Amino acid sequence: MSIRHGLLALLERGPRYGSQLRTEFESRTGSTWPLNVGQVYTTLARLERDGLVAPDGEDTAGHTLYAITDTGRTELREWYERPVDRANPPRDELSIKLAMAVGAPGVDIRAVIQSQRHATIRAMQDYTRLKATALAAVENGRSGERDDVAWLLVLEQLIFQTEAEARWLDHCEARLIRLSLPADRGAATPEPPRAAAETPAPTTTTRPSTARTRRA
């Protein structure tokens, strides 16, 4: 998540102070990724260092305001136009957990998958209920409210993400079942009886390679 560019986007609408930026960021994203004030001011300090924002006086309550610079606007435009880089995907705890659970002693990986599937479906249901509320707000004549529309888009992304996660968990379970079948089949199937035990020994000498071929 780019807090840096998110703050630049909010500052493009006009000067803001730290707590105000935090409130507006969480309102726009429905508090999906909550920020703390320290995080906001640390990011503002880095933006100022890089010449992307600059102090812009104080408001009537004495809060230091920050404004986006021309360099900051250029950076923001480039961010909007640049696809999100997937070359270095962020760490995913669930993927790491399943990777570590494979072959781990005393761990039932299928139980881990089942537990996560239940949690994922519950999250999907929660997101769907929130989507209905957000959609109603947009359709009841409030479609001009940017925060409502932005929150609706975030919710729909979360729904698609949890749906994909549920499908992936189903795939993981099916994959594990398929991979375990050959070993299970080999362990359960008894070795076929030797041909020599069922039929009389031939009167002529048979080469070992031929005998193996016949039994196969």
Side-chain angles (χ1 to χ4, degrees), residues 43-102:
T43 305
L44 285 172
R46 290 172 181 164
L47 291 171
E48 183 180 0
R49 178 200 63 194
D50 296 340
L52 304 179
V53 304
D56 193 44
E58 297 180 347
D59 64 2
T60 55
H63 299 114
T64 300
L65 298 172
Y66 291 86
I68 191 170
T69 64
D70 289 340
T71 304
R73 287 190 178 87
T74 300
E75 170 74 15
L76 184 60
R77 295 273 81 74
E78 291 176 352
W79 179 62
Y80 282 137
E81 296 168 1
R82 185 173 59 245
V84 174
D85 184 13
R86 301 297 184 189
N88 297 298
R91 294 182 183 89
D92 180 78
E93 183 180 356
L94 178 56
S95 298
I96 294 172
K97 179 188 290 188
L98 293 190
M100 297 302 166
V102 173

Side-chain angles (χ1 to χ4, degrees), residues 133-155:
T133 302
L135 189 59
V138 170
E139 292 178 344
N140 289 338
R142 298 176 56 196
S143 58
E145 293 288 338
R146 280 184 283 193
D147 287 354
D148 289 334
V149 176
W151 175 219
L152 179 61
L153 295 179
V154 169
L155 279 171

Side-chain angles (χ1 to χ4, degrees), residues 26 45 56 122 127 143 149 166 194 198:
E26 292 185 351
D56 193 44
R122 283 197 303 270
Y127 294 146
S143 58
V149 176
R194 294 174 58 87
E198 297 176 357

